[in-house]
Amino acid sequence: MTLCGNQCYGVRSGKGGAFDISPVGDFLDTENYAIHADGRPDHAVDYVRLTKGEPPVITVTMRLPTLPPSSVLLPSDLAPASSVTQGDLTLSIPDGTFFDLDVEDFGTTEGRTLRVAPVPLSDAPPHAVAAKVDAIYALAPSGAKAKLTNSLGALLKMGVALKNSAGLPASAAVDILVLGDDYFSTPPNVGLLSVGAAAHVSTDGTTIQTDPGEGISELTWLGVRRKGK
């Protein structure tokens, strides 16, 4: 468990999941901070974004979904274009993709294992409720970024296909939302769901597919919301 912004404070939770990050003892601009829970390798990673003027004692309840078992690995770095499917999700991965993994996953088998946990809306985290999603998924390896292999290190877009578990109407326009994890963006996007790609429901209503040229660049929480909702 960490409380992070322009500086970080951390502690491990107990066996029951309870944690206490204290004492901080510094003045914090809480609107630029988030509480980060990391349940690797068997549970999801999640964030709760704080707001301005939080009280001196902040109480947060977080639920980290269990990641289902999987034998599906992300393709090796620099591999030809391919697609990988796990659960409700298929990723279309461009040619020559290099995956920049979080330090916790680097060099481990779990760190390249694609896992997809659909989360019932009744158990959705606050960022998903605030974004009014129609479906929400926790993905792993969390924070893995698809990058070009040239010196620019630009982020690539991975096409997304999802089972239409929300039952959205055939051919409906859809927003694919991704959870931010960047404490140093301006303003920080950590803990906030934002639109990452445009998509449509298939004509037969069974799947949701990102539009041509659209996609995501990072594995994180993935939300589905009918456009204009």
Side-chain angles (χ1 to χ4, degrees), residues 156-172:
L156 294 171
K157 291 182 178 180
M158 298 177 285
V160 172
L162 283 162
K163 180 181 177 182
N164 184 17
S165 59
L168 299 179
S171 302

Side-chain angles (χ1 to χ4, degrees), residues 128-221:
V129 175
K132 300 179 180 179
V133 298
D134 294 297
I136 187 74
Y137 299 85
L139 307 185
S142 181
K145 298 177 177 68
K147 290 191 172 183
L148 286 170
T149 58
N150 64 19
S151 59
L152 297 178
L155 295 180
L156 294 171
K157 291 182 178 180
M158 298 177 285
V160 172
L162 283 162
K163 180 181 177 182
N164 184 17
S165 59
L168 299 179
S171 302
V174 174
D175 289 327
I176 302 294
L177 296 94
V178 294
L179 185 67
D181 60 5
D182 187 353
Y183 289 96
F184 303 107
S185 61
T186 306
N189 67 18
V190 61
L192 301 176
L193 275 174
S194 61
V195 177
H200 279 81
V201 181
S202 60
T203 55
D204 64 4
T206 60
T207 59
I208 297 168
Q209 175 71 54
T210 48
D211 296 344
E214 295 281 322
I216 64 173
S217 296
E218 181 178 358
L219 299 183
T220 175
W221 284 75

Side-chain angles (χ1 to χ4, degrees), residues 50-173:
L50 302 181
T51 59
K52 186 174 183 177
E54 295 279 0
V57 177
I58 302 169
T59 301
V60 175
T61 299
M62 301 177 74
R63 297 182 179 90
L64 301 185
T66 301
L67 297 169
S70 170
S71 59
V72 177
L73 299 180
L74 296 174
S76 58
D77 292 335
L78 315 183
S82 63
S83 65
V84 290
T85 299
Q86 175 60 32
D88 290 354
L89 173 72
T90 296
L91 293 175
S92 297
I93 300 173
D95 177 65
T97 297
F98 175 91
F99 283 97
D100 186 8
L101 303 177
D102 268 11
V103 64
E104 294 91 343
D105 290 321
F106 186 78
T108 68
T109 300
E110 292 87 353
R112 294 196 76 91
T113 302
L114 177 63
R115 292 195 277 183
V116 180
V119 178
L121 293 182
S122 57
D123 293 330
H127 52 73
V129 175
K132 300 179 180 179
V133 298
D134 294 297
I136 187 74
Y137 299 85
L139 307 185
S142 181
K145 298 177 177 68
K147 290 191 172 183
L148 286 170
T149 58
N150 64 19
S151 59
L152 297 178
L155 295 180
L156 294 171
K157 291 182 178 180
M158 298 177 285
V160 172
L162 283 162
K163 180 181 177 182
N164 184 17
S165 59
L168 299 179
S171 302

